[in-house]
Each structure stands twice: as structure tokens, then as C-alpha cells.
Amino acid sequence: MSSSTAPDAGINAEDLASFHEHLNKSTRVLALLGAGLSASSGLPTFRGAGGLWRTHDSVSLATPEAFNADPSLVWQFYSYRRHMALQVQPNPAHYALAKLARKMPGFQALSQNVDGLSQRTDHPPGQLQLLHGTLFEVRCMDRRRCGHSETNFVDPIVPALAIPTSGIDPTSDEARQAVSAQLQAKQQGKDLDISDVKVPLASVKTHDLPVCPKCKQYLLRPGVVWFGESLPEQVLDNVDEFMNAGRVDMIMVIGTSAKVYPAAGYIEDARAKGARVCVVNMDENDKPAGGWKKGDWFFKGDAATLVPRLLEPVVGRVEP
Ligand code: APR
């Protein structure tokens, strides 16, 4: 493995040159994207620092069991994440990957991120596989009989899930009437950080949660893949089709701890198709499960800085 730990942007000239040489020869490239890609946009990652939401491990809220046990708490968590994602902007790494997709038809981004930031660049949708769904699709809990799903960017999705701006109970009449005042306060950055356990969190009644507009019977749920659930069938088919279409030149593993399967398994699948592996991460311990192999690259640092520099020969300069 080559490793870069130069303090400036985490890139040493020799590694960068060998990466660029390989990129210039590549026509079929994958990128496995994780929460670290959006970290410098201002969104927390799942594991390590920032992985705690109030007293809850973020991962423990992302299960069907958690939703069934306490739909209000789980909706508050996802409403907060929708709200946060809508407040921030894609960063230069999202833009560089979108440009790569447009320049290289044989590029596929496999994103574990549900924050919608890649979609807010002009990344071609056919080259962005949303392995874990998105926060901005919501669907009926009764998937089998009702099956309703919709794209929904309304924030808050229902008034009861508004992020409080002043510590007032968001389910109170006062808070409900203050949606426009809240929008103003939001622009002034006055949202309370309800991920912090010290900030009081009002209890939300189940009947105030979003209800399916079609069957009007079941709750809506976030259109993300929870632990224990299968990845979207169409997405799996698209990735299989790419993998089966021939040799893969490279897989870039960007801002992910690569601990969650089946997503992490694509690294070894790509290797089996001949791919060299390039990891971009803040933490050198977050390596592929199969360990380092000859010819791998590791670029340590912020994806928002490193990815545009790595892709520059193909995409040109992406300004921060
Ligand atoms: N630049 C690059 N890497 C970063 C940055 C950054 N600015 N900040 C953090 N990282 C790295 C961390 O070192 C870590 O390896 O990003 C990784 C984030 O890892 P996780 O929090 O585990 O997120 P991710 O890998 O996306 O999680 C996978 O798990 O909880 C589920 O469904 C959820 O999609 C998610 C999946």
C-alpha cells in the first residue's frame, strides 16, 4: 500500500502521480461513498465522534424494531437529519464526483449516504446508486398492501416534528403557529441542537406523526434502509450489472468506515474484477476488511479537499 500523510492536504506527490496515472488509463471505476464525504458539509457521521444522538447510538435508532417500539423518537431523529441535510450544501467532493460521472460513462457511485447531497449536484442519477435509500423518500409502513411512496422535502414533514428554536414545546399551539417565525429563526441559525441530550425534547404523540396520504391508516416512514432490511432490489441489480459487465479498473472508498454489509462487500467484489483500491479517509484504521493489498492507495484527510485533487486530471479544477 502507498500511504500519504503529508500535513498539507494529505497528499504526497509520488502517490498522487501514480494515482493520476492509473486514473487516466481507467474507464470503469466505482466509488463507495460514506458519511465522511458529507462531514465537511456539516453533517455528523455514524460511528466515532458524532455518532451519538442524545443518549442513543445512531445505529440503534435505524432499525424497524426501534421504529415499532417508539415511532415518535425515531421520527424525531430522522426529522432532525432531514432538517440538517436541508441546511447544508454539497461540498467540492460531491461536485468532483458528479463531474467524473459526466466525463466517464463507466463510472458508478455507490452511495451509502441518505442525505441527498450528491443529488443536489448535477450527478447523473443513472450513475448514483443509493444503496441505503434517501431521507427524502417517505413511504407507507404497510408496504405490501398500500405501497405508497413519495418524494418529500417538506421540513418539518408535520408540524409536530419541527425543530424547536427557543426551547418551546414544538407540539404546543404556539409552536405550530410559528412555522414562518421558525423559518426566519432558522435563517438566523437559531435552531436548537436536539441531538444534544441537554436540549429538552418534547414528546410527540403518535397521532401527530406523518400518516400515509393514500391509505390514511398507517404511518409514513423514512425511505432509508434500516439494519436488518434488504437493499433496494433495483439498486442491487444495477450494481450487479456493472460488476458483471467486465473488468473494473478501480474502486475509490471515500469517507466510509466500510463496516456495513453488503455495501462494504463491494470493495472485495471490485478487487475480484481486477480493481485497485484507493481509500480516502481521516482515519487510517478504517481500512478495507480484507486489509491492504499491493497497489492500494491511502490518502489521509478530508474528502472535500482530497477528492477534487485526486480527480483533477479528468474533471479539471473544482473550486471550493
Ligand atoms: N473526510 C473523509 N473521511 C472522513 C471525514 C472527512 N472529512 N470525516 C470522517 N471520515 C470518515 C471516518 O473516519 C469514518 O471512517 O468517514 C467514516 C464514516 O464512517 P461511518 O460513520 O461508519 O459512516 P458510513 O461508513 O457511511 O456508515 C455506513 O452505516 O449507520 C449505517 O446506514 C448507515 O450508511 C450508513 C452506514
Side-chain angles (χ1 to χ4, degrees), residues 102-118:
R102 293 199 308 280
K103 299 252 172 175
M104 190 187 279
F107 171 64
Q108 276 289 349
L110 315 181
S111 183
Q112 301 169 88
N113 296 343
V114 295
D115 56 33
L117 291 185
S118 291

Side-chain angles (χ1 to χ4, degrees), residues 11 15-16 18-20 22-24 26 28-35 37 92-94 96-101 104 106-113 123 131 242-243 248-258 263-271 274-281 286-288 292 295-300 302-315:
I11 295 194
D15 290 344
L16 186 63
S18 77
F19 177 85
H20 282 169
H22 189 68
L23 178 67
N24 281 327
S26 297
R28 301 194 77 243
V29 172
L30 286 169
L32 179 66
L33 311 177
L37 173 68
H94 295 101
L97 290 162
K99 272 184 132 178
L100 179 66
M104 190 187 279
F107 171 64
Q108 276 289 349
L110 315 181
S111 183
Q112 301 169 88
N113 296 343
H123 197 123
L131 301 177
F242 181 91
M243 290 289 188
V248 180
D249 297 308
M250 171 159 63
I251 181 164
M252 298 180 74
V253 181
I254 301 170
T256 174
S257 56
Y266 288 130
I267 303 171
E268 294 309 314
D269 291 353
R271 272 197 206 283
R276 289 178 69 177
V277 176
C278 168
V279 175
V280 178
N281 201 300
D286 282 348
K287 52 179 183 260
W292 297 114
D296 290 353
W297 297 271
F298 174 65
F299 293 102
K300 179 175 176 165
D302 179 15
T305 311
L306 294 175
V307 172
R309 285 190 66 187
L310 291 171
L311 300 182
E312 196 173 331
V314 177
V315 306

Side-chain angles (χ1 to χ4, degrees), residues 48-70:
L52 212 59
W53 193 79
R54 302 182 70 81
T55 53
H56 309 275
D57 177 349
S58 296
V59 173
S60 73
L61 294 174
T63 66
E65 292 76 20
F67 190 83
N68 288 332
D70 193 345

